[in-house]
Each structure stands twice: as structure tokens, then as C-alpha cells.
Amino acid sequence: MRIIKHFNTGIYNIMFLLLFLTQTSVVQAKSIYVQTSFTTQELVVILKEKYDNVQVLGDKQVAFTIDKHSYGIEGWSNGFTILFVSNVPMSYKRINQWNNEMRYPRAYIGDNKVILDMQVVGLQTGLNKQHIFEAIDTMHFGVRVFMAARHEN
């Protein structure tokens, strides 16, 4: 009860306030530029900063290379899809096992080839080139794990 009585006096309120203000840190938000859409050419410029053999395949379709692996990006209204096509045959059972165990990338068989894809959404709220690089790095890591796992069993 005594301590409460001390805080009722003006000098202790001021001291408490000063102590509180000096102990809190100031957090400054860093603004990040994001875009809600990318043209094919903007995507090419971004990809050329980090990846090799960047080529336009069509409207909002771009191919590039990482470590001798070819990838594609296909844009759509709410985001984009990163694709990787493997010529290594794999059974449906093995594809299903991969999809049950791994979150990224998803695997399926199309045109007698194994296709891995990862969809990236977020264009409505905005993306920047760092988001694109992180998504591609995640996809590339998944492809490396996939390529190593295909030899198991």
C-alpha cells in the first residue's frame, strides 16, 4: 500500500515516466518498395541480376539457368509459378511419395516428364525482387533435394 501512495505524488509519476521513456528503444520501420505487377521485361531485368541465360519465352514467360538446371517462370494475375522439368523417369508411386513428404516443390508427370512447380502468390499485396529471389532459391533447393532423392529406393 505504501508504494502506491508514493506513485500518487507528482514527482514519482514524472520519474517513472522518464525511466520508462529512457528504457524503451525506438524502432524505425524500413520502407520496402513492392510491386503488384511485373512486366515480362521487368522480370528479365530482375532475373539477370542473379541468374544465367535469361530468355523470354512468351508473354510473362521467362526461362533462366541455375547450376546448369533450366527453370521457367510463368506469371499470372495473383503471382507466378516457378517450373523445373526433369527428363529422368519416375513412377507415379515415387511422385506421390515425394508430394506426401515434401511441401515444395510439387511434382507431377506431364508429357512423359517429371515437372516440379512452386506457386508464389502475393502480387495483390505486393512483391519485390528479394521475394522473387527467395522463392527461386527455395525452388532450387527443392530441386536439388528432389534430384538427390530420385536415386533412393
Side-chain angles (χ1 to χ4, degrees), residues 38 72-83 104-106 117-139:
F38 292 90
I73 288 188
E74 184 174 63
W76 33 282
S77 62
N78 190 29
F80 57 93
T81 301
I82 306 169
L83 298 162
Y104 297 115
R106 305 312 303 160
D117 79 357
M118 186 173 89
Q119 295 183 355
V120 180
V121 296
L123 280 177
Q124 289 177 340
T125 56
L127 294 172
N128 63 23
K129 68 181 175 182
Q130 189 61 36
H131 294 126
I132 295 170
F133 292 154
E134 288 172 3
I136 292 170
D137 290 346
T138 300
M139 176 68 170

